Amino acid sequence: MATAGVHRGVVGLFACRIHIPVTISSRDRSTVSRRRQAMVKKTTRRKKTSGTKRSTAARRGGMAHWYVLGAAVVGGIVYMDNWVPGPETAATGIRTASIERKAKTVEREAVLPRPKQRPAEEAEQALPAAEKLPAFSGKWFICTTQTDYCVLDGSTILYAGRKVRLADIDAPAIAEARCDAERSRGGDAKLRLREILNEGDVTLVSAKSGAEGKTKAAPHLVLRGGQSIGHRMVREGLAKPWTGRHQSWCG
């Protein structure tokens, strides 16, 4: 039967080529139709299977790098959980000890209270620095018409617009002398002080030697080359060391 069908198919092929009319039975037509349908189904099944395989491979290839990344993260976490620090090197140990010492020093400085200032220290800090008047190397006069850089008596002068008393001496008075001897010696001290002042430049430094007295003159040390001119007046017998009050020059 199969042979007969093949024969008919070949005869039909040649008939088509040579345009010879061939008559095919209805049974042969149904057989051919079934074979064609079977071939179409087989081809469709092959395409579907091939497409499924390709899509599965593509999905697997696209997710591969995510699988690798996830495995690396999990491995890192497990490593850090099970990591045990090894022994420190010498350089690391020295650096760590230095940091710890600095931290302890800062804590100790923050905890230790600062010592309170004593009243004496506060008083010393409250005292103003010694006033130093500008040096003068000009000519000195007797205070008559002159109103600055002049001599009033053996221990009082006008200097830079202010009345100044030589703080370390007590010279004889003139206007308030208690006797003629004191008045005479006061005139001599006045002239001698002018001569000494005219020998060169002098510097005045404020002194704390008590009250200003009746003259209302600020006490200062009159210096030349670091030496007191008042001491020179005492050595020459024209003044006495200051004791805090005016001494008698009479008798």
Side-chain angles (χ1 to χ4, degrees):
M1 184 176 184
T3 305
V6 172
H7 178 70
R8 290 189 189 95
V10 173
V11 172
L13 178 64
F14 279 101
C16 291
R17 289 289 184 184
I18 59 177
H19 302 284
I20 298 175
V22 177
T23 303
I24 301 175
S25 65
S26 60
R27 185 177 180 180
D28 293 336
R29 290 178 180 173
S30 63
T31 301
V32 172
S33 177
R34 286 196 300 271
R35 289 181 179 177
R36 287 179 179 177
Q37 291 177 359
M39 290 179 66
V40 169
K41 289 181 180 179
K42 190 175 182 180
T43 304
T44 304
R45 191 180 301 111
R46 287 178 181 177
K47 289 183 178 180
K48 288 182 178 181
T49 305
S50 176
T52 304
K53 290 181 179 180
R54 288 198 194 97
S55 62
T56 304
R59 284 198 298 271
R60 289 178 181 175
M63 296 295 292
H65 65 282
W66 292 107
Y67 295 151
V68 174
L69 180 60
V73 172
V74 173
I77 295 173
V78 173
Y79 173 77
M80 293 302 296
D81 289 341
N82 299 325
W83 178 73
V84 178
E88 291 185 349
T89 61
T92 305
I94 293 172
R95 184 165 57 253
T96 304
S98 176
I99 294 172
E100 291 178 354
R101 283 197 300 271
K102 288 181 179 179
K104 290 181 180 179
T105 302
V106 172
E107 291 178 358
R108 193 180 300 111
E109 290 179 353
V111 171
L112 290 177
R114 293 184 179 179
K116 293 184 178 180
Q117 222 171 15
R118 297 179 180 177
E121 295 178 356
E122 294 179 356
E124 289 180 0
Q125 291 183 359
L127 290 176
E131 180 186 10
K132 185 176 181 180
L133 298 179
F136 178 71
S137 58
K139 189 175 181 180
W140 288 82
F141 300 90
I142 300 297
C143 294
T144 52
T145 57
Q146 186 76 14
T147 58
D148 201 4
Y149 297 105
C150 60
V151 179
L152 290 169
D153 57 35
S155 61
T156 310
I157 60 175
L158 294 179
Y159 190 98
R162 64 184 66 188
K163 195 174 184 180
V164 175
R165 178 178 64 81
L166 276 66
D168 52 350
I169 64 171
D170 175 33
I174 298 176
E176 299 178 357
R178 298 177 183 177
C179 58
D180 293 338
E182 183 179 2
R183 186 176 294 105
S184 176
R185 297 177 72 174
D188 295 339
K190 177 180 178 179
L191 295 175
R192 180 56 182 157
L193 178 59
R194 175 178 174 269
E195 292 175 358
I196 295 174
L197 292 173
N198 279 327
E199 290 179 0
D201 59 335
V202 294
T203 304
L204 272 67
V205 179
S206 177
K208 303 296 179 181
S209 62
E212 297 178 351
K214 295 180 180 180
T215 59
K216 302 298 181 182
H220 283 70
L221 293 176
V222 182
L223 306 174
R224 177 182 292 132
Q227 301 297 322
S228 172
I229 290 179
H231 291 174
R232 183 173 174 181
M233 295 281 289
V234 172
R235 288 196 304 269
E236 294 182 5
L238 298 171
K240 296 178 182 179
W242 177 254
T243 60
R245 56 183 298 179
H246 182 66
Q247 303 177 48
S248 176
W249 291 86
C250 300

